[in-house]
Amino acid sequence: MSQGDSNPAAIPHAAEDIQGDDRWMSQHNRFVLDCKDKEPDVLFVGDSMVQLMQQYEIWRELFSPLHALNFGIGGDTTRHVLWRLKNGELENIKPKVIVVWVGTNNHENTAEEVAGGIEAIVQLINTRQPQAKIIVLIYWEVCDEGKSEVQLEC
């Protein structure tokens, strides 16, 4: 389903520095450093849905004791997450579980392309972190245009 190079949602790409403050790359570099300094049992990776989880008590109560790392960046698409994972965010760590939650910001892609981008992320994780169990969280937007849902097969 990832459609290889023909699927724009499955091609790794660094986010553009729209604000001009290098914020995205700074966050990525911090995550890479966290991989060198910490030993997470659980890794969360994705967009703002993941990033915002740290603001809630449930993170401190349930996930912090699991030595969880939160690699969420607001605005990220499947392309951005793929780029980050290929460029250091899976190195020097061996989490037992990796939770992926991304796709909300893939506004320019079809549901099939987004599913293919997520599939590419899962395949990359399986290759680089074969010991990890992968949990994919997907937010399917409600659509009244009669479009069918896409089933992700990994």
Side-chain angles (χ1 to χ4, degrees), residues 2-152:
S2 66
Q3 304 154 1
D5 292 339
S6 67
N7 179 357
I11 300 171
H13 190 291
E16 293 182 41
D17 185 17
I18 297 171
Q19 286 85 16
D21 60 3
D22 208 28
R23 183 178 314 171
W24 186 87
M25 190 59 72
S26 294
Q27 286 181 290
H28 166 68
N29 289 335
R30 182 175 51 89
F31 295 158
V32 172
L33 286 175
D34 283 347
C35 288
K36 295 177 182 175
D37 296 338
K38 300 181 180 167
E39 297 178 16
D41 289 331
V42 181
L43 172 65
F44 287 80
V45 64
D47 54 31
S48 62
M49 304 301 279
V50 171
Q51 183 180 27
L52 293 173
M53 289 176 66
Q54 285 182 297
Q55 295 180 6
Y56 296 97
E57 185 65 28
I58 195 167
W59 181 268
R60 289 181 289 284
E61 289 178 8
L62 299 179
F63 299 118
S64 289
L66 299 175
H67 306 283
L69 286 178
N70 184 317
F71 287 0
I73 298 180
D76 263 10
T77 65
T78 54
R79 299 180 70 191
H80 302 144
V81 170
L82 269 170
W83 187 92
R84 293 195 288 123
L85 295 178
K86 284 183 174 257
N87 287 277
E89 291 185 19
L90 290 177
E91 295 176 12
N92 304 308
I93 56 173
K94 293 287 180 211
K96 295 174 186 170
V97 177
I98 299 176
V99 180
V100 177
W101 195 0
V102 68
T104 306
N105 299 308
N106 283 71
H107 306 293
E108 297 178 3
N109 301 107
T110 66
E112 290 81 8
E113 289 171 341
V114 175
I118 293 168
E119 183 179 4
I121 290 168
V122 169
Q123 289 172 351
L124 176 64
I125 293 170
N126 275 329
T127 300
R128 298 205 178 169
Q129 297 287 336
Q131 82 292 340
K133 300 292 183 194
I134 303 169
I135 298 171
V136 177
L137 302 177
I138 301 175
Y139 174 75
W140 291 108
E141 294 184 19
V142 178
C143 179
D144 60 2
E145 295 176 21
K147 295 181 181 176
S148 63
E149 289 187 11
V150 175
Q151 183 176 5
L152 183 63

